[in-house]
Short mmCIF file of all heavy atoms in Angstrom, two decimals:
data_model
loop_
_atom_site.label_atom_id
_atom_site.label_comp_id
_atom_site.label_asym_id
_atom_site.label_seq_id
_atom_site.Cartn_x
_atom_site.Cartn_y
_atom_site.Cartn_z
N THR A 399 25.61 131.16 136.61
CA THR A 399 25.64 131.78 135.28
C THR A 399 26.80 132.76 135.13
O THR A 399 27.22 133.04 134.01
CB THR A 399 24.33 132.53 135.02
OG1 THR A 399 24.12 133.50 136.05
CG2 THR A 399 23.16 131.55 135.01
N TYR A 400 27.29 133.30 136.23
CA TYR A 400 28.36 134.29 136.12
C TYR A 400 29.75 133.65 136.06
O TYR A 400 30.75 134.35 136.13
CB TYR A 400 28.30 135.31 137.27
CG TYR A 400 28.01 134.72 138.62
CD1 TYR A 400 29.00 134.09 139.36
CD2 TYR A 400 26.72 134.81 139.15
CE1 TYR A 400 28.72 133.55 140.61
CE2 TYR A 400 26.44 134.27 140.39
CZ TYR A 400 27.44 133.64 141.12
OH TYR A 400 27.15 133.11 142.36
N VAL A 429 31.85 139.25 135.23
CA VAL A 429 30.95 140.19 135.91
C VAL A 429 29.86 140.69 134.97
O VAL A 429 28.83 141.20 135.42
CB VAL A 429 31.74 141.37 136.49
CG1 VAL A 429 32.66 140.90 137.61
CG2 VAL A 429 32.55 142.09 135.41
N GLU A 430 30.06 140.57 133.66
CA GLU A 430 29.03 141.00 132.73
C GLU A 430 27.79 140.09 132.82
O GLU A 430 26.71 140.51 132.38
CB GLU A 430 29.59 140.96 131.30
CG GLU A 430 30.80 141.86 131.06
CD GLU A 430 30.42 143.32 131.13
OE1 GLU A 430 29.23 143.64 130.88
OE2 GLU A 430 31.30 144.15 131.41
N LYS A 431 27.96 138.87 133.37
CA LYS A 431 26.84 137.94 133.46
C LYS A 431 26.16 137.96 134.83
O LYS A 431 25.30 137.11 135.10
CB LYS A 431 27.31 136.52 133.14
CG LYS A 431 27.79 136.35 131.70
CD LYS A 431 28.22 134.92 131.44
CE LYS A 431 28.68 134.74 130.01
NZ LYS A 431 29.11 133.33 129.73
N LEU A 432 26.55 138.86 135.69
CA LEU A 432 25.85 139.00 136.99
C LEU A 432 24.42 139.44 136.74
O LEU A 432 24.12 140.11 135.77
CB LEU A 432 26.58 140.03 137.86
CG LEU A 432 27.92 139.61 138.47
CD1 LEU A 432 28.57 140.80 139.15
CD2 LEU A 432 27.72 138.47 139.46
N PRO A 433 23.49 139.06 137.66
CA PRO A 433 22.10 139.52 137.50
C PRO A 433 22.06 141.05 137.47
O PRO A 433 22.88 141.73 138.08
CB PRO A 433 21.41 138.96 138.75
CG PRO A 433 22.23 137.77 139.13
CD PRO A 433 23.64 138.13 138.78
N GLU A 434 21.08 141.57 136.77
CA GLU A 434 21.02 143.00 136.57
C GLU A 434 20.92 143.75 137.90
O GLU A 434 21.51 144.83 138.05
CB GLU A 434 19.80 143.34 135.69
CG GLU A 434 19.75 144.77 135.22
CD GLU A 434 20.94 145.14 134.32
OE1 GLU A 434 21.43 144.23 133.61
OE2 GLU A 434 21.35 146.30 134.35
N GLN A 435 20.18 143.21 138.86
CA GLN A 435 20.05 143.89 140.15
C GLN A 435 21.34 143.86 140.96
O GLN A 435 21.50 144.60 141.93
CB GLN A 435 18.92 143.26 140.98
CG GLN A 435 19.11 141.81 141.35
CD GLN A 435 18.62 140.86 140.29
OE1 GLN A 435 18.41 141.26 139.14
NE2 GLN A 435 18.40 139.60 140.66
N SER A 436 22.30 143.00 140.54
CA SER A 436 23.58 142.92 141.25
C SER A 436 24.70 143.70 140.57
O SER A 436 25.82 143.72 141.09
CB SER A 436 24.03 141.45 141.39
OG SER A 436 23.06 140.68 142.09
N ARG A 437 24.36 144.34 139.45
CA ARG A 437 25.39 145.09 138.73
C ARG A 437 25.57 146.47 139.35
O ARG A 437 24.91 147.44 139.00
CB ARG A 437 24.99 145.24 137.24
CG ARG A 437 24.96 143.95 136.46
CD ARG A 437 26.34 143.36 136.29
NE ARG A 437 27.27 144.28 135.68
CZ ARG A 437 27.40 144.43 134.35
NH1 ARG A 437 26.64 143.72 133.54
NH2 ARG A 437 28.28 145.28 133.88
N ASN A 438 26.47 146.55 140.31
CA ASN A 438 26.82 147.84 140.89
C ASN A 438 28.32 147.83 141.19
O ASN A 438 28.99 146.81 141.11
CB ASN A 438 26.01 148.13 142.14
CG ASN A 438 26.13 147.03 143.19
OD1 ASN A 438 27.21 146.74 143.70
ND2 ASN A 438 24.99 146.38 143.49
N ASN A 441 29.67 145.38 144.08
CA ASN A 441 29.71 143.96 143.71
C ASN A 441 30.81 143.70 142.69
O ASN A 441 31.54 142.70 142.80
CB ASN A 441 28.36 143.54 143.14
CG ASN A 441 27.33 143.30 144.22
OD1 ASN A 441 27.67 143.05 145.37
ND2 ASN A 441 26.07 143.40 143.86
N GLU A 442 30.95 144.55 141.67
CA GLU A 442 31.88 144.30 140.59
C GLU A 442 33.33 144.55 141.00
O GLU A 442 34.24 143.99 140.42
CB GLU A 442 31.54 145.17 139.38
CG GLU A 442 30.20 144.79 138.75
CD GLU A 442 29.87 145.69 137.57
OE1 GLU A 442 30.70 146.58 137.25
OE2 GLU A 442 28.80 145.52 136.96
N TYR A 446 32.67 140.41 143.94
CA TYR A 446 32.92 139.40 142.91
C TYR A 446 34.27 139.71 142.24
O TYR A 446 34.32 140.26 141.13
CB TYR A 446 31.79 139.37 141.89
CG TYR A 446 30.48 138.91 142.47
CD1 TYR A 446 29.56 139.83 142.98
CD2 TYR A 446 30.18 137.55 142.53
CE1 TYR A 446 28.35 139.40 143.54
CE2 TYR A 446 28.97 137.12 143.08
CZ TYR A 446 28.07 138.05 143.59
OH TYR A 446 26.89 137.62 144.13
#
Side-chain angles (χ1 to χ4, degrees):
T399 58
Y400 41 79
V429 294
E430 300 292 335
K431 294 182 180 180
L432 287 172
E434 190 63 31
Q435 62 274 17
S436 300
R437 294 293 304 275
N438 55 62
N441 282 337
E442 294 179 1
Y446 293 93

